């Protein structure tokens, strides 16, 4: 089994089957190899490492490497570009240690959350994808050892716990005015004058939900109005309300209203005919 999570700066794989690749390198990506269970036989620069569950290695860009995985083993691979890795450090380039220990249960829990989040949010929805990317970077910030975690190292501002009463009125007003347009985390964070990571935390503390879920809620409310007061098709309603696809619209609407858009319109019609 192979599952993949892809964001602009990160590629993540969960591999649970016999697998082998040939020696290769990545031009601008770091690779974090996290054995989940069983054995992973890893080769880097002609040296072989016999890795057990939780024994991780970090490959820097240009490090030649390969690995072999047996039939009864599982591994998680994270590839992060240089710009993404440097977001872990408040000062200068991030320099993670070559050998790491990461709890495989936490790694697997994280992957399930990222993968499920992308499926629920539609891979083509930029706001959902950027939120997942932020979660992966925060996972690495918390669990990787290196220059960013050394004694005396300054934490980047996004890693601080955000104040729950940070004013976000301008962001909420902007969302309500532009909900039907493609929105991104960085765009909204800039309006709040916060880093992406600080913004996501403070937004959730203020509203009780993530920016993506909040936008979905506004779009569903707009769709309800269109279903009630126009004869637009469900497909046109979905596009008019800003959903990335009709399937995303159906899932979000059913989760919010407890029925499909078609059922909602039919029930409203019966109610008005009484």
């Amino acid at each position: 089994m192979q599952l993949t999570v892809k964001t602009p700066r990160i590629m993540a794989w969960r591999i649970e089957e016999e697998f082998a690749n040939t020696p290769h390198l990545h031009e601008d990506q770091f690779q974090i190899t996290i054995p989940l269970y069983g054995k992973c036989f890893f080769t880097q620069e002609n040296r072989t490492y016999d890795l057990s569950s939780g024994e991780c290695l970090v490959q820097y860009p240009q490090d030649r490497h390969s690995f072999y995985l047996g039939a009864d083993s599982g591994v998680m691979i994270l590839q992060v570009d240089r710009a993404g890795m440097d977001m872990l450090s408040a000062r200068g380039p991030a320099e993670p240690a070559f050998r790491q220990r990461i709890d495989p249960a936490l790694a697997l829990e994280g992957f399930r959350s990222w993968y499920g989040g992308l499926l629920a949010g539609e891979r083509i929805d930029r706001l959902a994808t950027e939120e997942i990317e932020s979660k992966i970077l925060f996972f690495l910030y918390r669990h990787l050892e290196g220059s960013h975690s050394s004694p005396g190292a300054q934490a980047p501002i996004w890693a601080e716990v955000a104040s729950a009463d940070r004013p976000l009125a301008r962001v909420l007003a902007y969302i309500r005015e532009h909900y039907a347009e493609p929105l991104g985390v960085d765009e909204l964070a800039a309006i709040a004058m916060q880093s992406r990571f600080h913004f996501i935390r403070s937004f959730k503390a203020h509203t009780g939900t993530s920016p993506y879920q909040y936008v979905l809620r506004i779009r569903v409310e707009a769709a309800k109005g269109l279903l009630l007061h126009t004869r637009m098709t469900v497909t046109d309603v979905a596009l008019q309300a800003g959903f990335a696809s009709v399937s995303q619209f159906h899932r979000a609407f059913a989760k919010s209203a407890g029925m499909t858009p078609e059922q909602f319109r039919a029930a409203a019609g019966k109610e008005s005919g009484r």
Side-chain angles (χ1 to χ4, degrees):
M1 176 184 70
Q2 292 191 35
L3 300 176
T4 306
V5 171
K6 183 178 181 180
T7 74
R9 299 192 182 282
I10 299 171
M11 285 285 291
W13 291 268
R14 176 181 164 191
I15 304 172
E16 296 185 74
E17 59 184 22
E18 189 170 2
F19 180 90
N21 58 14
T22 57
H24 63 285
L25 57 81
H26 306 293
E27 292 292 335
D28 191 48
Q29 287 80 37
F30 289 78
Q31 177 170 308
I32 301 95
T33 304
I34 309 173
L36 300 174
Y37 57 90
K39 290 285 186 179
C40 177
F41 302 96
F42 200 97
T43 300
Q44 177 164 323
E45 302 298 343
N46 299 318
R47 181 174 178 180
T48 300
Y49 301 86
D50 184 355
L51 303 177
S52 298
S53 176
E55 295 180 344
C56 313
L57 295 181
V58 176
Q59 289 72 55
Y60 278 61
Q62 305 296 323
D63 286 348
R64 186 169 294 277
H65 59 276
S66 62
F67 73 93
Y68 167 74
L69 198 66
D72 298 323
S73 302
V75 69
M76 186 169 87
I77 304 291
L78 290 169
Q79 289 180 1
V80 186
D81 70 14
R82 166 57 80 176
M85 186 63 73
D86 286 349
M87 293 175 79
L88 306 186
S89 177
R91 295 179 180 175
E95 297 179 354
F98 171 58
R99 304 206 73 155
Q100 305 272 349
R101 285 207 64 89
I102 297 179
D103 186 336
L106 293 177
L108 187 55
E109 178 184 359
F111 189 93
R112 287 170 176 163
S113 172
W114 311 329
Y115 187 78
L118 281 184
L119 288 181
E122 289 289 325
R123 295 173 187 268
I124 58 176
D125 194 304
R126 181 161 59 101
L127 185 59
T129 302
E130 289 177 355
E131 281 191 14
I132 296 299
E133 181 175 275
S134 298
K135 290 180 180 180
I136 298 173
L137 289 172
F138 190 69
F139 172 87
L140 293 175
Y141 173 80
R142 293 185 61 187
H143 297 291
L144 280 185
E145 296 292 333
S147 59
H148 68 283
S149 62
S150 301
Q154 181 182 352
I157 188 171
W158 59 263
E160 300 173 1
V161 177
S163 171
D165 60 353
R166 179 102 181 193
L168 294 172
R170 285 184 301 171
V171 176
L172 300 181
Y174 183 85
I175 290 174
R176 289 188 174 276
E177 185 176 351
H178 298 276
Y179 66 85
E181 303 170 13
L183 296 173
V185 172
D186 291 335
E187 175 186 0
L188 299 178
I191 295 171
M193 295 183 292
Q194 299 175 352
S195 71
R196 177 200 290 193
F197 304 93
H198 196 171
F199 168 69
I200 291 173
R201 284 167 163 254
S202 60
F203 189 97
K204 189 168 185 178
H206 185 82
T207 66
T209 189
S210 73
Y212 174 66
Q213 292 300 325
Y214 185 87
V215 171
L216 282 187
R217 189 167 68 193
I218 299 300
R219 288 173 177 169
V220 167
E221 291 306 312
K224 286 181 179 179
L226 294 171
L227 290 168
L228 289 175
H229 303 300
T230 75
R231 295 185 178 182
M232 295 171 63
T233 66
V234 170
T235 297
D236 288 341
V237 167
L239 298 177
Q240 184 76 15
F243 286 92
S245 68
V246 177
S247 60
Q248 182 196 36
F249 173 47
H250 272 268
R251 283 195 295 272
F253 195 96
K255 184 176 181 180
S256 174
M259 63 181 74
T260 67
E262 293 85 354
Q263 291 169 337
F264 176 84
R265 173 175 270 172
K270 290 180 181 178
E271 190 70 25
S272 62
R274 290 180 181 177

